[in-house]
């Protein structure tokens, strides 16, 4: 934000011997202001604004760890559940197996020294993700005041008409994802969003913009209720084709350190299938 501070104008009347002095002073001030504004170009402001994150970013100000929450109650039943209406319900919480997976993740973060100099934990407000954040905080000796619930950017990817179907059906979504990052799952009228990869990419980019603006040289642990938020984010951070995000799949309770200088190993695609000149934005 550009702030221009000027001295308050005098209320006295100019002496008769200098009738145009006040007018000259005003013109001089306007000229100086005009010059100052012209030297402050929009491109310069954009280039120096930390809040406007580009993907892939040239550098990251903070250290990041990505964590998928452990298995949920719905996942233990083999059911897809992505409707945000139910995200804070008990049924969206961790299963017994999921609690054990999350405890393992918390111990892994401790072994990696994630919170040795303190850390911020950003979980989705979704029940299982927030429960996972509490377990991570307890194991790593982090105060609950360092848990920052995220209310929308980390919602599980809305899978539309696949809501309530068997988990195995998600492979059909990934088949569409591999064709174009803009293909959405079929819609449904129960309030469940039907999000494309590109839709999720916008959300996670906004999240990273907030984190890179709000913190500096800190450690942030991002806890997601699902895999897609994290795979799409990781692909974006390292500049890889978003259509292939599912190849980076996170298992329940999996932890990864974000190293933007390293590119995850991909399977070689079939010849002529993937053509992208500007990753990660490929359609």
């Amino acid at each position: 934000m550009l702030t221009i501070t000027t001295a308050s104008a005098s209320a006295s009347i100019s002496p008769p011997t200098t009738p145009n002095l006040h007018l000259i002073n005003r013109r001089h001030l306007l000229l100086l202001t005009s010059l100052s504004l012209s030297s402050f170009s929009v491109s310069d402001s954009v280039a120096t604004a930390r809040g406007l994150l580009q993907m892939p970013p040239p550098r990251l100000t903070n250290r990041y760890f990505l964590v998928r929450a452990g298995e949920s109650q719905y996942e233990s039943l083999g059911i897809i559940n992505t409707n945000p209406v139910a995200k804070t319900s008990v049924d969206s919480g961790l299963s017994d197996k999921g609690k054990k997976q999350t405890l393992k993740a918390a111990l892994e973060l401790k072994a990696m020294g994630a919170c040795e100099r303190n850390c911020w934990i950003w979980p989705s407000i979704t029940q299982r993700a927030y429960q996972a954040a509490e377990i991570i905080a307890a194991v790593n000796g982090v105060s609950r005041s360092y848990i920052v619930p995220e209310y929308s950017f980390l919602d599980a990817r809305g899978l539309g008409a696949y809501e309530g179907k068997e988990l195995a059906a998600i492979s059909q979504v990934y088949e569409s994802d591999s064709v174009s990052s803009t293909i959405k799952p079929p819609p449904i009228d129960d309030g469940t969003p039907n999000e494309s990869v590109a839709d999720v990419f916008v959300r996670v980019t906004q999240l990273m913009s907030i984190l890179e603006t709000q913190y500096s040289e800190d450690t942030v642990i991002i806890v997601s209720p699902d895999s897609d938020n994290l795979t799409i984010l990781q692909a974006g951070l390292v500049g890889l084709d978003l259509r292939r995000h599912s190849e980076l799949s996170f298992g329940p309770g999996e932890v990864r350190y974000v190293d933007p200088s390293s590119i995850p190993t991909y399977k070689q695609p079939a010849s002529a299938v993937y053509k992208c000149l500007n990753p990660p934005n490929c359609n």
Side-chain angles (χ1 to χ4, degrees), residues 213-257:
T213 301
Q214 187 164 331
Y215 303 114
S216 179
E217 298 184 0
D218 283 318
T219 296
V220 181
I221 299 173
I222 297 173
V223 186
S224 171
D226 70 346
S227 174
D228 285 7
N229 283 333
L230 302 179
T231 57
I232 293 169
L233 172 57
Q234 188 175 15
L237 287 172
V238 297
L240 295 172
D241 189 337
L242 293 179
R243 294 175 298 178
R244 304 177 66 182
H245 77 93
S246 63
E247 296 178 31
L248 297 173
S249 179
F250 279 69
E254 186 171 348
V255 176
R256 289 182 200 167
Y257 167 64

Side-chain angles (χ1 to χ4, degrees), residues 40-50 52:
F40 185 82
S41 68
V42 173
S43 61
D44 289 341
S45 65
V46 169
T48 58
R50 289 176 53 206
L52 303 177

Side-chain angles (χ1 to χ4, degrees), residues 25-131:
N25 285 340
R26 289 186 62 193
R27 287 176 176 171
H28 181 65
L29 176 60
L30 289 171
L31 177 61
L32 289 176
T33 302
S34 175
L35 290 173
S36 297
L37 288 172
S38 63
S39 64
F40 185 82
S41 68
V42 173
S43 61
D44 289 341
S45 65
V46 169
T48 58
R50 289 176 53 206
L52 303 177
L53 188 71
Q54 295 182 337
M55 288 288 203
R59 63 183 294 271
L60 291 173
T61 303
N62 303 297
R63 188 171 66 141
Y64 294 95
F65 292 86
L66 307 182
V67 181
R68 177 181 172 182
E71 179 190 73
S72 71
Q73 297 282 1
Y74 279 106
E75 287 170 332
S76 71
L77 299 174
I79 298 174
I80 294 175
N81 176 254
T82 61
N83 192 326
V85 172
K87 64 184 179 181
T88 59
S89 71
V90 175
D91 291 337
S92 292
L94 295 170
S95 67
D96 289 339
K97 181 179 179 180
K99 292 174 183 176
K100 293 177 182 178
Q101 292 169 332
T102 302
L103 177 58
K104 182 179 178 181
L107 291 170
E108 186 175 348
L109 285 166
K110 187 173 184 178
M112 297 170 75
C115 298
E116 282 183 350
R117 293 175 294 175
N118 215 340
C119 61
W120 294 92
I121 305 174
W122 275 61
S124 164
I125 196 62
T126 303
Q127 185 79 343
R128 62 184 177 276
Y130 195 82
Q131 287 176 340

